[in-house]
Each structure stands twice: as C-alpha cells, then as structure tokens.
Amino acid sequence: MSEERSLVFPARNPFPPRGTTSMEERVLDSALSTWELDAPTAELPAVELLWSIAQRYMSGFATGLRGQGQVAFLHGDHGTGKTHAVRHMLSRLSARPRSPGPAPYRLYVKAQDDDFLSCYRRLMSQIDPPVLRDLSLRFLGAIAGVEAGRAYGAETEASATEALREEPDHLYAMIRDMMVEPGAVLQSQARELSEITGDQEDFQRALTSLLDPLLEAAAYDWLVGREIDPVDASRLGVSGSITDHELCRYGIQLMVAMCSRSGRPVVVVIDQCERLMLGEVEETGRRNEGLLHSLAERVPQENGMLVLIGNEQAWDRMRRDLKQRFGHNVVASSAMNLDQAVRLLQVYLREVSGAEDEIRPFRLSGVRALLAQSEGNARRLLQLAWLAYERAAPDRAPITRAMVERALDGEQPSSRAAPPGPTTLGEVVARLEESERLTVVELGGEGLIAFDLHRDAAGTPHGRSRPMMPWPGPPDGRADHRAAAREHLPEDARAAVLRAAGVPVTADVVLVCTSPESPQASQAMDWLSAAHPEAACFTEPGADVVELLRRTIAADPLRLPYELVALRADPDSGRLLLDTLPLFPAGARGGESAEVTVHCPPADERGTAFAIVAWRGDAPTLVSVHSATLVPGRRTFTAELLRPGRVRFAGLRGLGGPVKEDRGWEELVAAVPDKLDGSWESVHVICAVEISGPLGTVRERLLRVRQVITVAAEALLGMLEVSLVVYGEHSYDRDAADQPVVVAAWRTTLEEALRALGDLRLERRPGGYPYAAQVEDMLDTVVSRLSLDAEGRSVLLTVGDRPPHPPRVHRSEILPCPRRYDWEALLSRLDPHPGIALAAICDRPPDQADAVWTRLNGGRPAASLDTVDVRRLVADVGLPLSSARRIPFPMIDGVPPSHPPTLSEASRVT
C-alpha cells in the first residue's frame, strides 16, 4: 500500500447511509444551530437561492416599512434536497441573534393529507401560550402607541412605541394614566383586524380574552384551532370552534400581522403542498389552492415570509395566477449535474480530510457513475457514495466507475456497460456535457501547453489556452529519451509539469504528445498519465492542437435549439409579450441557414437587438445579442449558423457584420414598453409624383416624398407599406408618343421605396402638353389597383403643380384627357371612403394653386412645396407622431407565443 493512497483514503465513511435530512414540526433553536454547524451543506443553487430570499426578507423587515415580506415556492422531486435547503435556511436564521435585529419566529408544518384545518392546528400550536399572549399584548401596544401619537404628537408616539416594545405591560400604565383611551385603542384594533381577518369579530374577542387570566387558556385553544366546549365559546363571545378553512387562513394572517407589528420577523413554511392541492377530492384541492393563493398575497403584505414546498406535479398543476405571485422567488431543487455532485461529495469528504477541493478516493469516472445511477438525486447519490466507500474501504482502492458498478452488484445491478474509450480528440469534445470541464495538455518539442474547454448553459463549447511552459535545457537526441529527460529536467520537474498542467478536480484530461521524439515530452507524458490514470492519451506527431480544437468546436452540432427573440402584441390588450421564432433545431451544424421575416420597429440610437436564445425544455439561455441600426419596416433576412454560439444575419442592410450589443439582457427587457399605443397598424401610403417641369423642381418633389414616408414610418413604428406612382404630361403631338403612368413600387417596404425613388430616371420629354398633367390617369391607376374593400388604412399623397385634364371640352380651354378619364368621378370614389385619406403638396403657395389641389388635399388648402411642414402633414392625415418608447427587439405577427410561461411573464433568461 503506497503512502499516497493511505493519505487520500478517509479513515471513516463520511457519507450518511440514508442520505436524507428530516425536519420536525417543532424544533428548538439550539437544535437548529447545532444542525447548521454539524450538517455538511453544499451551496447548491436551491440552497443559495432560498437563503438569499431569506436575507432579502430580513433586510426588508429591518426597514420598518410595510409590504417588505417575501413569498417563495420550492419545488422538486423527492430526494433532491428540498427539506435540506429549508432546514439550512431556518438554521442560519436561528443564528441571527449574533447579528443585528431580532431572530424570526419559525413555523414549519408538513401537510399529511388535504385537511387544511389539521395543518393550521399543528402550525399554530407551535406558538406557546405565553408567546401568543405576549404577541397579543405587543400588537395592542403598537396600536396604543399610534393612538398616543394622535393625541400628543409624533415624539410621544415614538417614545411610547419604544417603551411598549421593551415592556409590553406598560400598556396598562398608559391606560391607567389616561394617556390613551381604551375604547379608541380597541376601535383601532377592530379596524386593523377587519382588514386582516375579513370582518371576523371572533378574532378580536379571542385576542382580548387572551389577556384575561381567567379566559386565557380557552382563548388560546380557540386561536390555535382546538375544540372548545359551548360554555367556553359563550364566555369568549365567539360563535364556536374554528372549523371553517377560511378562518384558518385568517388566523395565519393574524399571527403574521401580530409578529410584524411587535417587531419580530416570522417565517412560515408549509411542506408537501401537493397533499393539500392534489388530494382525492378535486374540489378540496381547488379550495386549498385558493387558500394558499390568499396567503401568498397577504403574508408578504403583513411583512411575513411564506415558503411553500411541493413536488414537480404540484408545480406543474398549479394555476398560473398563483405561480405569478412568486415572481422570481421560484426555487427549483432539480437533478444535479456533475459539478454540483462533486461539490456535494467534497463537503462530506472535507469533514474527514480537511481538504477544500478534494474528491479522492473518488475518481471522476466514479462520480459520473454515481450521478448516472442516482439520476442526479442528491439523497440517492449520498446513499450510493456510502455504499461505494464501504466496498472500496478494505483495499483502500480508488473509487472508479468499475468500483461503483461492483458496489451495486448486490443491491442494484447495472445493465449499462462502460462506454468504449474515445479514439480521437473530436470524440472527447463531443462527449463533453454541460457543466463538465476538459483539460487538453499538449506535450510538444518546445514545452507544455494546457487548453481548458467547457460547455456553457446553452451547450456551446468554449476553449482557452494557457501560457506555454517551456522545457528547461535543449534535448540532445539520445535514444534513451527518459534518461536524457532526467538529465535535462531538474529534480522538481515532475511537480512543475503537474502544476503547469493544472487539471481542475472536476475536469477530464486528454494528453496529446505531438513530439514523441522529444525526451522532455515523453517523460512529461509518463508523469501526467501516472498522475491521471483515467486520462485519454494520444500520440499525434506534428499535429496542430490549436487548429484541431478549433475545427472540432466549429463542427460540433447544436445541443439545444436556437431561436430569435422577438416581440408580439396581444391583439386584445396591446400588451407586448416576449416570444421567439425558431431558427435552428438541435443537431444543426455550421453552414445551415434559415429565412426569417420580422417587423423592425423604430429603435433608439443603438439599434434593434437580435438576440439568440437556446431552449432546454421551457428554460431559455441567452446565446448572443447583436444590434443593427435599420430603417423601420418589414424585413426578410437569412440567419446563418457559423458554428455553435455564432449566428450571422445576412440581408439586413445596415447590419453588415454583426455588431456586438453592449446592453445587458435586463436593460434590453426593461426598455420594452408595456404595450403598444393605438398607432400600431399597417398603413399604405401611395405617393403620386408629377415628374414634368424643371428637373430641379422635380427633384425637390421627390425629396419631399422621401421625407414624408420616412416620417410616416416613424409615426407608425415601422408598420408602413409604400407605393410610388409617377406621372407626367400627355402628348398631343403625333410624332411624340404619350408616356403612360408608371408604378415604380407597390405595397413595398420603406427601404425598397427609397431605393425606387433613387432609381428614377429624370429627363425632359419633348412634345408634352404644358398646361396640365396626367392627374386623372394617375387616379385611374390608383383606383384600379387599390381594393376599396380591403382592411387597413391608405393615404394618397399627390405632389405636383399642374391640374388634371378634364374628360371633355371644358371652359378652362385645357385639352380633354385622351382616354376621357373623369378625375372628379375617380376622386369621389376615394374621398368619402373611411379607410382612405388624401394629402397633397403643390409647387405653388395655397393662394396661387389651382382649386383642384384643395380637392386632392381632402378639402384643405394644399401644402406648399417650399414651406411644407412634413410632420404636420403626416399628423393631418391621422398619423400622429408616436410618443411611445422605442422598441429594442423585432416584432412578429400576433400568433400565440411559443414559450409563454417563461419569456412573456418573467423574462427569466440566463
């Protein structure tokens, strides 16, 4: 037996054979304190989160403000550590007398069936008669202090309240000295109790009787839910024993209120809520869930802390409105991963070895075997660890996977054979699971380089390299490599090599020798393989390990599906909900692409955020966030998966290469307005532009169109469709052909419309009629293309100078339209339609413009080309500029959210 083996094998089995923590309903502070000191506790997520909630509660209570309570729900399967987490929290709270502030009262009850009255009796009975009497007196004293303040001022209230907290019996002296009126105090108490107990006068009578030595015992029995005889009920003035479940709820609320008004925090824990909620009688379960819902609302209001504990079935079947009451205080005691299993074993091993980060005698393969056999259940894992220790103890042998399998032979034979070892470095990386770590050590001709790899919560592999440790001294090329290495490596070289490799206790090891001809590399390979007997060893002469790792990571398939975060407006309330659009399924590899269509609303100067999340069940994990400054509107683009963790967006003008977003997730979510205002509806803006006349004037008209549609897009938060129609002059010259109206764009995006404006070819055409333009032809084109029965709104904006041609000979002496179009008849089909608005910009000022332009502007004088106020024009046609906050995420149409419980409610993205 080697000295090293004897040092790392504990002298006794540190693991509990039952692997469980029990919790009694009545436990002394001394017992809790002793348990907190003696019971090993790994700071697993459920333990840490529950304790942080308790700390927030104690800090909030110390402020003295009302409504500083907390409510939490702890859920998980049996054996995952729920009871341990609660007992750890209560034990640490019991030690608070060493800290400023009073220690809280702690009440714990475990439901045995669906009888809420039984729970109430066992919960309230944990408060002894002297304590309950003291709370009642202090509660009344707090009310008396307020009454004294009303009579004599704030200073008197403060001094009286302090005196009553120090000595509650001082209340009798205040009444005797006429500082307070007894009737006024009782009336104030009645008002407070009516809010807490739902106008149940029996509670005030019982509290008053609790202060009478002759009635104290009966009052106590009534308050804690015990049966009392009719004579005692008559003496107390109550209607009878507490048998109604609503009265039980009121009693708990009253107890919490008395504690908080007396300056004492109180923590109420109800365990095994599934027995209350999921009993044999469905109606009883719904009633009990309603009682828990009421407590979840009221206890925090009264500055108490309520912790409900249940299994996964209770959480899954709980009504959504009750789930929402817990907010971020939902604590999941779930199956452990490898890192958490190692931490759990370490806290027990530390009790006997004193080492902080030691898992020996376990090897990492042994821990994995425990984790697989226990399925991540903490209780079962500790039981198996105890069993594996007992099996290995006689030989003091390392606890490997094989040892765990042998230990289970007599208890739970495993049918799973050990998987074959990896044959390539790519296989090793592929087997790397979330929370696991891998250290790759390259032993080359110049020295040792270690690479640390891990997967994040999204399943993305990451790696980094450490500085190289060069070999001391030059190799001499002797055939006896190890002899040469011993000469070239100093005596402490072995320790230096192990230190440079720096393998974390939770990491797997891969040793890659790229220079087998180097004596130093060969000797280091021997030392490291001996120190890490479960390491995968490869000899790859001349291999580029960095490039090999880079290619391996890039080729790794997605472990979780990727989706794009977007917003969806609820069609009824207008409330904005976070949702996602699927991009890539699990198993996708680099090179795959997906086409996505979204609406990009106006964002702030930092642009629209394109966030990618990975989904594990109903839990999202943020993968990446990039932003782009885009023109608002509907966008179709391509998402390209470059490698795990990296998505490129192609086809978004303004995005080019992805720009990494510097805003955090919380900041982005906080920037989302609660709801959209009434301007969120698609509007079709038809821009009809006259292109006859001086080229400088035509360019000015096109500039005004560009300004109008850009401002309209801002007003409509990007929900804009644009059409561009250009018209010119009729020709009555047989040698010059009549040019038709041109539809340069129809129902397109703002971006495409701006591009169409820029592509227009402007040139003077000979032979045109100088006194009118093709306004009537443009109206015929618009009317024929525009469906008057279509839903949504449309705006016809006409920009030009000349009037239309009449349909026949007219007194104006303007030649008739060659096609005999009647502009007035066409316009009358548009003007009265409720979904269509008219707007016009004329070259001339209103007092010089033809009267037709007033008709084209909906009966209002047309705006002048030189002086038009574009923003006012947009507002005049019913598109008021939105004052809503900018929207940081793209929008999708009103379809049901794909993951409503997680993204739309709490935005709980890690």
Side-chain angles (χ1 to χ4, degrees), residues 21-24 32 35 83-91:
T21 293
S22 62
M23 184 74 186
E24 301 80 21
L32 282 172
W35 186 91
T83 302
H84 190 103
V86 169
R87 182 152 190 170
H88 177 76
M89 175 197 70
L90 297 178
S91 299

Side-chain angles (χ1 to χ4, degrees), residues 354-370:
E356 288 292 323
D357 299 317
E358 185 62 78
I359 64 168
R360 291 182 292 180
F362 288 92
R363 294 272 170 78
L364 205 55
S365 66
V367 180
R368 279 203 179 93
L370 292 177

Side-chain angles (χ1 to χ4, degrees), residues 515-566:
S515 297
E517 73 283 355
S518 166
Q520 292 96 329
S522 296
Q523 180 62 75
M525 185 79 164
D526 289 346
W527 286 337
L528 287 169
S529 59
H532 303 284
E534 295 184 323
C537 300
F538 302 100
T539 299
E540 301 285 349
D544 186 340
V545 175
V546 173
E547 182 59 27
L548 184 59
L549 289 173
R550 185 179 291 117
R551 289 200 310 267
T552 299
I553 289 175
D556 196 58
L558 295 186
R559 296 297 183 93
L560 302 173
Y562 280 11
E563 300 192 2
L564 177 71
V565 175

Side-chain angles (χ1 to χ4, degrees), residues 670-892:
V672 177
D674 291 334
K675 60 173 60 178
L676 292 171
D677 58 20
S679 67
W680 188 272
E681 60 176 321
S682 180
V683 176
H684 181 198
V685 177
I686 306 162
C687 303
V689 188
E690 179 187 343
I691 57 173
S692 56
L695 291 181
T697 302
V698 173
R699 291 191 181 94
E700 191 72 16
R701 295 171 191 158
L702 295 177
L703 176 61
R704 292 294 178 266
V705 169
R706 180 182 296 270
Q707 293 170 343
V708 168
I709 60 178
T710 301
V711 171
E714 178 184 355
L716 296 166
L717 299 179
M719 295 297 289
L720 175 71
E721 294 179 305
V722 182
S723 294
L724 178 61
V725 181
V726 295
Y727 64 94
E729 306 162 326
H730 278 304
S731 174
Y732 295 89
D733 187 344
R734 293 181 179 179
D735 296 331
D738 199 23
Q739 296 295 327
V741 172
V742 176
V743 179
W746 190 260
R747 284 191 177 275
T748 188
T749 64
L750 172 64
E751 188 176 19
E752 292 296 327
L754 293 175
R755 187 178 297 115
L757 279 170
D759 292 342
L760 286 176
R761 296 181 61 186
L762 304 177
E763 56 185 19
R764 295 297 302 273
R765 296 173 180 174
Y769 185 74
Y771 303 114
Q774 299 170 322
V775 176
E776 70 286 356
D777 293 67
M778 175 272 294
L779 289 173
D780 177 73
T781 299
V782 170
V783 169
S784 63
R785 279 182 171 257
L786 188 65
S787 173
L788 300 185
D789 297 327
E791 294 183 359
R793 302 171 58 197
S794 297
V795 176
L796 173 61
L797 170 66
T798 307
V799 184
D801 177 52
R802 304 180 193 179
H805 291 265
R808 60 190 62 85
V809 175
H810 192 264
R811 64 177 178 270
S812 65
E813 299 185 355
I814 295 176
L815 295 180
C817 172
R819 298 178 182 83
R820 299 297 187 263
Y821 290 142
D822 187 340
W823 69 268
E824 289 184 289
L826 291 167
L827 193 61
S828 66
R829 296 177 62 183
L830 298 176
D831 194 10
H833 195 279
I836 297 178
L838 299 178
I841 301 175
C842 183
D843 293 355
R844 306 169 191 270
D847 58 346
Q848 300 176 22
D850 192 288
V852 170
W853 287 95
T854 299
R855 291 285 309 278
L856 291 171
N857 197 45
R860 306 176 304 276
S864 171
L865 184 67
D866 293 333
T867 62
V868 59
D869 184 338
V870 172
R871 291 182 175 272
R872 181 172 180 178
L873 182 145
V874 170
D876 286 345
V877 293
L879 309 180
L881 296 180
S882 173
S883 59
R885 293 157 56 189
R886 296 296 184 243
I887 298 177
F889 295 108
M891 294 278 301
I892 56 178

